[in-house]
Amino acid sequence: MTDDDQIQLMENPKTKRYVFNYDFKGQIIPVYVIYSRIDSKKERYNAYLIPVNDDKIENLLTDGVVADKQVKAKSYYGFSYQDLEQLMPEDAFNGSKYPEPKIVGKYVVTDKQ
């Protein structure tokens, strides 16, 4: 809950912004890249790739190692779960239904409803 590196927002070293051009299935998608630690002992992360302006895809989830092949971030902003609770005006996990994700290669894809 208090680990400041639990959630990491990656910064693009070329633009100094938070958007990366990500190649997904031969299509370049501008995405925000957020890593979430899944194993503190081995420094393993999941990568959430959130399209900036995509009407179809809510997010892509993959292993951090897969995302690292395209995301060449050298700096990030770390957040703990407690930080996020303070930033969010209401509970994001309020029991509302989320679309069923599907597996596409090494990605879990959640489409927008």
Side-chain angles (χ1 to χ4, degrees):
M1 292 294 290
T2 60
D3 179 0
D4 287 338
D5 290 333
Q6 180 65 38
I7 309 295
Q8 299 179 5
L9 174 62
M10 308 313 281
E11 181 182 68
N12 189 323
K14 292 180 184 175
T15 64
K16 301 298 182 206
R17 297 179 186 259
Y18 308 104
V19 177
F20 292 82
N21 287 325
Y22 198 85
D23 185 351
F24 178 65
K25 293 176 49 177
Q27 181 181 358
I28 302 298
I29 303 172
V31 296
Y32 299 109
V33 180
I34 299 172
Y35 282 49
S36 176
R37 183 179 290 161
I38 56 175
D39 185 348
S40 60
K41 294 177 185 173
K42 296 183 182 179
E43 292 293 315
R44 289 193 52 229
Y45 290 86
N46 278 334
Y48 293 87
L49 311 169
I50 303 169
V52 175
N53 292 320
D54 193 303
D55 294 334
K56 298 175 186 168
I57 299 173
E58 182 78 29
N59 66 64
L60 305 169
L61 167 63
T62 192
D63 190 277
V65 174
V66 173
D68 282 346
K69 292 176 184 173
Q70 292 188 53
V71 176
K72 305 294 183 194
K74 295 181 177 148
S75 61
Y76 61 87
Y77 293 91
F79 299 91
S80 69
Y81 282 118
Q82 286 182 341
D83 294 335
L84 295 180
E85 282 181 353
Q86 293 175 1
L87 293 171
M88 296 171 70
E90 58 186 57
D91 185 4
F93 305 102
N94 59 7
S96 59
K97 288 192 169 190
Y98 294 98
E100 192 66 32
K102 60 186 174 200
I103 306 286
V104 178
K106 294 183 179 183
Y107 297 87
V108 176
V109 180
T110 303
D111 293 331
K112 288 188 177 177
Q113 293 183 0

